[in-house]
Amino acid sequence: LMSDLAIRLTNSPTPSVQMPELRKNVLKRAITHEEKVSKSEDRGNLHLKLAGAYFSLEQFDSAIVEYSEAIQKFSDEDSIFIADSYFFRGQARDYKGNLLEGMQDFQTARDIYLALDDNEYVNYVDGGMAILFSKFAIYNEAEKIRNSLIGTYQEAGDSFSEAIQLYNQSEDFGKQGNYKNQLVYLLK
């Protein structure tokens, strides 16, 4: 019961409940009772939400531990949550500067989202992968991904997401001293 209440409480839009420190404390207390939770989805979501609270507090090591715990708590029927856990853990590893493990998590999340035919999240993961490549100055890989996303967003008529990718790619051109292409992407 406490776990159910904790999950519902952390979903509340009330500003005080959205404070990461409060969310963290509520979820940590609820997790002490997780053995009483029968559904794997709820057990996993306790850890997924706790990881999110740690992430918001920029406590990335703790977030990584909790995302890993969430992956273990979910069952095969909870594949969308497993994909989310890998995706968010990849982001936390990205913030820690861990290219290889972050990229592995992104790829695992991408594979699961593809299997679920969730193209919107496949695109989010691809964007995350491009950012991670860019952080490590692997600009050619970032550019390939971004150009693919730009095409996808153009076809879908999603000018907002297209603009984000164009801007990010222009920034990469600037980092490389390629100001001509930077300007071209900014003006597209």
Side-chain angles (χ1 to χ4, degrees):
L1 182 64
M2 181 168 180
S3 299
D4 291 333
L5 291 173
I7 289 171
R8 280 193 225 127
L9 179 66
T10 59
N11 286 332
S12 170
T14 306
S16 63
V17 174
Q18 295 306 315
M19 294 172 29
E21 192 66 43
L22 176 62
R23 288 173 56 114
K24 180 183 84 170
N25 292 335
V26 167
L27 289 162
K28 283 175 72 173
R29 287 190 63 199
I31 284 172
T32 64
H33 303 281
E34 77 177 299
E35 73 280 351
K36 298 175 185 168
V37 177
S38 60
K39 290 174 53 181
S40 62
E41 179 182 330
D42 291 340
R43 283 191 309 274
N45 270 313
L46 285 170
H47 291 277
L48 182 58
K49 290 180 180 303
L50 178 56
Y54 279 124
F55 189 96
S56 295
L57 293 165
E58 298 183 8
Q59 296 173 2
F60 301 117
D61 288 328
S62 296
I64 291 166
V65 167
E66 289 302 323
Y67 287 130
S68 300
E69 191 67 27
I71 290 165
Q72 298 303 313
K73 299 292 180 180
F74 288 124
S75 71
D76 291 342
E77 292 87 42
D78 307 318
S79 55
I80 190 70
F81 297 115
I82 294 170
D84 290 346
S85 298
Y86 276 110
F87 180 39
F88 299 141
R89 188 174 75 178
Q91 289 177 325
R93 286 178 164 164
D94 170 6
Y95 276 91
K96 294 286 296 171
N98 191 327
L99 170 69
L100 294 178
E101 289 181 350
M103 197 58 71
Q104 287 172 336
D105 282 346
F106 282 152
Q107 190 59 54
T108 300
R110 187 181 194 284
D111 291 345
I112 297 169
Y113 289 133
L114 268 175
L116 295 170
D117 201 30
D118 191 338
N119 293 323
E120 180 180 6
Y121 273 84
V122 169
N123 293 339
Y124 290 148
V125 173
D126 285 347
M129 291 169 72
I131 290 168
L132 190 53
F133 277 130
S134 175
K135 282 184 177 181
F136 286 90
I138 307 172
Y139 298 118
N140 60 332
E141 291 299 319
E143 183 178 3
K144 286 179 199 173
I145 293 169
R146 287 198 182 109
N147 284 335
S148 175
L149 285 170
I150 289 165
T152 298
Y153 292 136
Q154 283 174 339
E155 287 176 25
D158 184 350
S159 58
F160 180 77
S161 296
E162 178 187 356
I164 291 170
Q165 297 306 319
L166 287 166
Y167 177 79
N168 287 343
Q169 187 55 46
S170 75
E171 287 292 299
D172 277 3
F173 283 134
K175 291 175 193 173
Q176 298 171 75
N178 185 344
Y179 303 115
K180 180 181 175 187
N181 279 338
Q182 182 180 29
L183 183 59
V184 168
Y185 271 68
L186 283 172
L187 295 175
K188 281 189 178 188

